[in-house]
Structures are given as structure tokens and as C-alpha cells.
């Protein structure tokens, strides 16, 4: 499927005076249960193009490109924050008139989902969330070509970079930086600077800066959201995903509730390599009867 | 007045898992909600409340982490959560329309509150806003150096303040133009309120709020620009106030109805020039 074909499969919904690209496989009148997918950085709706047609046989599936990604607009005042993304999700679901649904959250999307869960606990929203599935289905290889940027982001002075990026006036900050000796090579500075000035890389850096900051500012809030909720939550983990193992351990350490189940993705399925196996793994936890019916269908096909 | 007398003026409500202590003068059609600055509490208003209560119903909560409210000592209680607590408080008191006085850190909480309203999570109507000293100082800094300067000034001051009562007295007095405007007795009440329930530990998280403000300032400035409520500025402009440039910046950025610059006054207009403060609020 080409990107243009994918675009024709979806529609645009106006949110805060900008266009949001949304795939919605059914409408209000459908008798199917609804499942909303909150995708994580840096995936877009297109990463799900192999599984959505299958999933839509059983569910009304709704997924959107977050602002600034895929086919969605990049608003002027948008600050790429997870908090803002949660508000966009809520606004979209209100517009689509959703009442009752399951959330499937992926990667950074899981933090957006936890924020929504928090708002639900605090009675700010009236949706009924049936279930929450949290997974990390994107292979981390995708980050490897961003090494230059990520090494900068891991730097403690990231707020400074963000500010410079937002104004991108000069590259003096390298000379002023305490880590100056790292950048003695003048040509390297220019190269990094050129990379920064390409829109795509600026976005990368901005997004990751914001996410890092929010992850520690609101860590307690989001952990608390999982602790206090009555919604059944299932969390998938896999042994080759080190960053997530830390989160899983924290979940286990701080939660003793029956509604949270932690499931190992034993074969380390990821969405881009084994979409069908990945989907089967998710369906198994979502609905046993649908899982068996699709497994049978897939085996006979 | 001592801390026990002060406590009797308060009532307590449990909101979002936190204990919120507040003064509510109950009577009156026109309601003012006060959002105090960082490290301070409802005690800021003890000199003006008895006059104002005849014109307005005054609702003055101690923000979570300060005064007599609960003090989360092992994690950061974010500005977003402060605003959510206030939205819940107004719901609990069945208040639909309100005017707001905000100072410093409280102005950031106010911006988040406006953003909660504009995102459709609450239908509270804001009638009028008064911004006091240090409001939006960090958000409206012209450049990174100024912003870092303000944040460093605040963080350093609180580090000194929290070390001992003597240091506390010294630095609080410094924010007054006339150091005699605040008595030893008042300072001792402040110190006890700051220490109440292991409150000094909440100051461990002071550097987080600067990060949060930098993270959200675009969103917040946008939401305060969009509000239809008329805004007035009340600002003590002597050097002791720490910042006398921001009123101009706020005027450049927002449509301000009136700017009241108070001479011979530092950071706390309600403590240093109570009668002028009352007249401004009453519209005299």
C-alpha cells in the first residue's frame, strides 16, 4: 500500500483549527466494539497498515497521526508535549462521539494513555474505558541513525538546546557549552548545526527533549493513575527492550493490584517485522473468541 | 495572631487525594479566588481579608505543599495538578463564576486553569483577573539568560530561606521596601506555616517548577491571551520586588485594562500597602 492510498483510507478532523489525520473504520451506527490506538513516537498510522484492515473485521478501529507527524498539520503553537497529545486524543474522541472503548497504547503513546487514565480517575472525562493495553511494538533500530541528536539530548543541558532550537539564531552555544571540548572540531560543529537546521531533525530533538522532561515531571502522576484505576490494564514487555524493562520493574514494585497484568512478549514480536504474530499476541489478551476465530482463519487461508 | 488562631479561620476539604486548607468568607455574590505565590500561603492576605469580605466573598486556599494544606514531601506536585485541585475546589464549593488574584507561581497555575477551561474539562467562568508581582516573569522573559537569572534568583533565595529562621527573616524582609512593614510576630507565623507538616521538604522539588514552566509556557501564554476576562496588574515596583520590568512586558503581550504600579512597595503589595491594595480591588 502506498502512502497516498493510505491517505485515501482516512479522513481529516478539525481540532483546534488544524487538520488531524484520522483512520476510522466504522461509524456511530456500527455494532462492533471500538478500539482506539495511540501510537508512539516515531511511528505514524501507516506503521499499522498491515494490521488495521484485519482488526477492523472485528472492531471499529480509530487511530490518528499526532499533530506534527504523518498527514496531520503542524500547529504554530504546538509544543510537542505528551500532555497536549492527550488533550488532542480526548478532543477527537469527543468529536467522534465515542462513549465506550478499549485503548491500545504503543511506546510513548502509553504515557499519553496514562495521562488520559489520570483524567478519567479525576473525573475530568466521561468516557468509559473498557481496557487498556500497553505495549512497545516499535523496534528501537529506528533510533540508531539519530545518534548525533540523541547524544546531545542525553546531555544535561537539554533545555538550553531546546531554547536555541526554538529560536535557532546562532550556534554560539556550542562554544559556550561546558562540554565544549567534545566539539573542538569546527567542521563537526557546522555539520551538527546544519543537521539541526533541517526541519525534520529539529523536530526529532524537540520532541525527545519534551518527552524526557515530561517523563520525570509527571512520573508520579502517571504511576498514580495506574495505581488508582479500576480499568483492567495489560502491559506487554519483551526481553530485548531494555528501556521498557526498567518501567516494568517499577510497575511491579509499585503495584499490587489485580487489575494490572504483566505479559511477556516471549518471541519479541515487533509490529514492522511480524505484524500478524504481533496482532495475534494482542488479540489473545483482548478477546479469546476473536483470537481463536482469526487464528483459524489465518491458518486456513 | 498566632498559628492556632489562624488555623481556626480555615476549613479543610479533601480533593484528588490531597488535604486542602482554605479560608472562605462564604457571604457575597462577587467571588474572588486567590492563588498565592510559591512558598507563601493564605496568610499573605491576613491584613486585607477583613475589609474585602464586605465587598467580595474571598476564597483563599493554601496550595498543596504550602500553609496548612497537605505537603507531598517525596514527589513533585505539579502546576497542572495544582490547577486541577482548584477546579475541583470550585466545583466542591458550587462556584460557577469567579474572579482571580494570582501572584508569581500562582499566575502559572492560573494559566493552566484557563487552559483546562479552554480544553473543555470545566465550564467555570472567569470574570476578572488581577496579576500581582512576579506573575509571568519567567514565561515572558525576553531571552534565556534573563529567564535563567530569574529562576536562579528564586531558587537561591529559597535555599537560603529554608536554612534557618534567622535567614528566613532576613530574606523575607528584603522583599519589602520598608523592612518595618512586617513584624517579627508575622514572620514567625510564616515560618511555622512553612515548616508545618515537614513542609520544608517540599522545597526540595523547587527546581522542577522552572522546568515545568519552560515546558508549558507556550501553551500557557496562549491560553491567557485567549481569555476574555479583563486583566489588571497590581505591582510593587521598588527594587526590593525583584522584578520591575515584567509589567511592561505583560502590557506588550496582553490587553491590560489597568496597570497599578505601587511606589514604595516591594513584592507583597497586600502586606506592605494594604489600604491601596484594598482600594484597587474595590475599584475606588
Amino acid at each position: 500500500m502506498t502512502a497516498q492510498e493510505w491517505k485515501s483510507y482516512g479522513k481529516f478532523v478539525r481540532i483546534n483549527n488544524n487538520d488531524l489525520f484520522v483512520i476510522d473504520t466504522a461509524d456511530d451506527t456500527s455494532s462492533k466494539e471500538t478500539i482506539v490506538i495511540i501510537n508512539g513516537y516515531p511511528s505514524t498510522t501507516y506503521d499499522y497498515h498491515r494490521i488495521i484492515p484485519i482488526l477492523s473485521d472485528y472492531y471499529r478501529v480509530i487511530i490518528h497521526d499526532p499533530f506534527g507527524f504523518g498527514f496531520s498539520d503542524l500547529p504554530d503553537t504546538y509544543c510537542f508535549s505528551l500532555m497536549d497529545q492527550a488533550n488532542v486524543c480526548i478532543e477527537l474522541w469527543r468529536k467522534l462521539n465515542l462513549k465506550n472503548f478499549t485503548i491500545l497504547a504503543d511506546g510513548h503513546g502509553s504515557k499519553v494513555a496514562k495521562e488520559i487514565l489520570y483524567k478519567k480517575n479525576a473525573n475530568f472525562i466521561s468516557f468509559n474505558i473498557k481496557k487498556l493495553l500497553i505495549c512497545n511494538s516499535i523496534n528501537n533500530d529506528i533510533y540508531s541513525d539519530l545518534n548525533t541528536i540523541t547524544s546531545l539530548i542525553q546531555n544535561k543541558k537539554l533545555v538550553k538546546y531546546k531554547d536555541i532550537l526554538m529560536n535557532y539564531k546562532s550556534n554560539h552555544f556550542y562554544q559556550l557549552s561546558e562540554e565544549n571540548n567534545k566539539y573542538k572540531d569546527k567542521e563537526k560543529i557546522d555539520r551538527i548545526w546544519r543537521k539541526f537546521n533541517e526541519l525534520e531533525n529539529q523536530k526529532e530533538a524537540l520532541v525527545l527533549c519534551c518527552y524526557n522532561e515530561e517523563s520525570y515531571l509527571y512520573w508520579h502522576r502517571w504511576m498514580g493513575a495506574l495505581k488508582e484505576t479500576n480499568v483492567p490494564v495489560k502491559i506487554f514487555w519483551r526481553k530485548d527492550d531494555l528501556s521498557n524493562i526498567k518501567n516494568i520493574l517499577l510497575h511491579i514494585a509499585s503495584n499490587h493490584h489485580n487489575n494490572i497484568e504483566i505479559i511477556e512478549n516471549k518471541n519479541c514480536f515487533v509490529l514492522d517485522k511480524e505484524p500478524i504474530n504481533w496482532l495475534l499476541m494482542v488479540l489473545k489478551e483482548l478477546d479469546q473468541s476473536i483470537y481463536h476465530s482469526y487464528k483459524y482463519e489465518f491458518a486456513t487461508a | 495572631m498566632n498559628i492556632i488562631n489562624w488555623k481556626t479561620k480555615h476549613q479543610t476539604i479533601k480533593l484528588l487525594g490531597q488535604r486542602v486548607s482554605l479560608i472562605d468568607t462564604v457571604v457575597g455574590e462577587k467571588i474572588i479566588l486567590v492563588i498565592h505565590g510559591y512558598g507563601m500561603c493564605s496568610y499573605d492576605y491576613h491584613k486585607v481579608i477583613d475589609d474585602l469580605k464586605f465587598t467580595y466573598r474571598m476564597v483563599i486556599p493554601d496550595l498543596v505543599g504550602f500553609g496548612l494544606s497537605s505537603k507531598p514531601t517525596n514527589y513533585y506536585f505539579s502546576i497542572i495538578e495544582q490547577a486541577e485541585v482548584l477546579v475541583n475546589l470550585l466545583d466542591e464549593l458550587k462556584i460557577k463564576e469567579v474572579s482571580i488574584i494570582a501572584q508569581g507561581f500562582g499566575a502559572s497555575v492560573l494559566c493552566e486553569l484557563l487552559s483546562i477551561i479552554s480544553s473543555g474539562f470545566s465550564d467555570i467562568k472567569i470574570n476578572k483577573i488581577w496579576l500581582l508581582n512576579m506573575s509571568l516573569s519567567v514565561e515572558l522573559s525576553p531571552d534565556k539568560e534573563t529567564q535563567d537569572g530569574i529562576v536562579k534568583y528564586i531558587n537561591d533565595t529559597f535555599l537560603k530561606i529554608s536554612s534557618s529562621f534567622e535567614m528566613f527573616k532576613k530574606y523575607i524582609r528584603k522583599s519589602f521596601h520598608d523592612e518595618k512593614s512586617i513584624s517579627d510576630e508575622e514572620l514567625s507565623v510564616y515560618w511555622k506555616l512553612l515548616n508545618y507538616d515537614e513542609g520544608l521538604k517540599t522545597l526540595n522539588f523547587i527546581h522542577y517548577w522552572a522546568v515545568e514552566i519552560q515546558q508549558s509556557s507556550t501553551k500557557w501564554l496562549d491560553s491567557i491571551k485567549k481569555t476574555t476576562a479583563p486583566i489588571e496588574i497590581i505591582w510593587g515596583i521598588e527594587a526590593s520586588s525583584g522584578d520591575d520590568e515584567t509589567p511592561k512586558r505583560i502590557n506588550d503581550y496582553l490587553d491590560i485594562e489597568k496597570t497599578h504600579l505601587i511606589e514604595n512597595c516591594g513584592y507583597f503589595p497586600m502586606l506592605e500597602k494594604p489600604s491601596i491594595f484594598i482600594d484597587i480591588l474595590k475599584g475606588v
Side-chain angles (χ1 to χ4, degrees), chain A residues 84 94 118 213 218 221, chain B residues 81 84 119 212 215 219:
Chain A
D84 284 8
R94 277 185 194 145
Y118 180 92
E213 278 170 18
Y218 304 121
R221 176 184 173 95
Chain B
E81 284 155 320
E84 287 167 350
S119 311
E212 195 181 6
Q215 174 79 21
K219 179 175 90 176

Side-chain angles (χ1 to χ4, degrees), chain B residues 47-103:
Chain B
K47 280 188 178 173
V48 295
I49 191 165
D50 287 333
D51 266 302
L52 287 172
K53 74 178 177 193
F54 297 113
T55 317
Y56 298 103
R57 171 177 172 190
M58 301 295 290
V59 178
I60 317 180
D62 286 337
L63 295 180
V64 173
F66 307 105
L68 298 165
S69 291
S70 64
K71 312 246 167 133
T73 51
N74 55 354
Y75 62 93
Y76 171 61
F77 196 79
S78 65
I79 293 174
I80 291 186
E81 284 155 320
Q82 297 283 13
E84 287 167 350
V85 165
L86 293 181
V87 169
N88 275 278
L89 173 68
L90 293 176
D91 278 353
E92 188 78 23
L93 299 176
K94 304 202 166 42
I95 294 173
K96 303 261 181 267
E97 287 186 26
V98 71
S99 299
I100 295 183
I101 296 176
Q103 177 159 31

Side-chain angles (χ1 to χ4, degrees), chain A residues 77-137:
Chain A
T77 53
Y78 197 58
C79 43
F80 293 105
S81 87
L82 295 163
M83 289 286 180
D84 284 8
Q85 282 188 36
N87 285 350
V88 170
C89 289
I90 291 167
E91 189 63 33
L92 171 69
W93 301 340
R94 277 185 194 145
K95 284 215 163 151
L96 297 176
N97 211 4
L98 303 187
K99 302 241 155 43
N100 199 353
F101 49 82
T102 297
I103 299 177
L104 172 61
D106 199 356
H108 276 293
S110 70
K111 288 169 187 159
V112 177
K114 285 177 206 165
E115 172 59 25
I116 290 164
L117 211 55
Y118 180 92
K119 287 205 158 76
K120 174 75 196 159
N121 293 345
N123 278 328
F124 282 115
I125 45 178
S126 55
F127 310 117
N128 178 29
I129 301 169
K130 275 188 74 180
K131 251 185 208 175
L132 170 62
L133 302 185
I134 292 176
C135 47
N136 205 7
S137 60

Side-chain angles (χ1 to χ4, degrees), chain A residues 100-199:
Chain A
N100 199 353
F101 49 82
T102 297
I103 299 177
L104 172 61
D106 199 356
H108 276 293
S110 70
K111 288 169 187 159
V112 177
K114 285 177 206 165
E115 172 59 25
I116 290 164
L117 211 55
Y118 180 92
K119 287 205 158 76
K120 174 75 196 159
N121 293 345
N123 278 328
F124 282 115
I125 45 178
S126 55
F127 310 117
N128 178 29
I129 301 169
K130 275 188 74 180
K131 251 185 208 175
L132 170 62
L133 302 185
I134 292 176
C135 47
N136 205 7
S137 60
I138 300 296
N139 203 326
N140 284 334
D141 293 351
I142 209 151
Y143 293 103
S144 60
D145 58 343
L146 295 172
N147 272 343
T148 328
I149 305 280
T150 39
S151 72
L152 281 171
I153 285 162
Q154 278 159 6
N155 189 305
K156 289 186 200 90
K157 302 245 168 193
L158 50 83
V159 181
K160 206 166 200 166
Y161 299 132
K162 196 170 92 182
D163 185 66
I164 299 283
L165 284 170
M166 287 200 157
N167 299 305
Y168 51 103
K169 289 178 199 135
S170 73
N171 59 0
H172 288 312
F173 79 104
Y174 287 112
Q175 280 114 41
L176 299 172
S177 162
E178 277 173 22
E179 313 238 322
N180 196 6
N181 25 2
K182 224 170 154 182
Y183 309 113
K184 265 181 188 152
D185 185 352
K186 184 79 178 63
E187 200 199 328
K188 195 174 169 190
I189 292 177
D190 287 340
R191 209 164 56 236
I192 295 175
W193 191 249
R194 268 202 308 281
K195 236 175 145 43
F196 262 154
N197 276 311
E198 290 161 16
L199 182 65

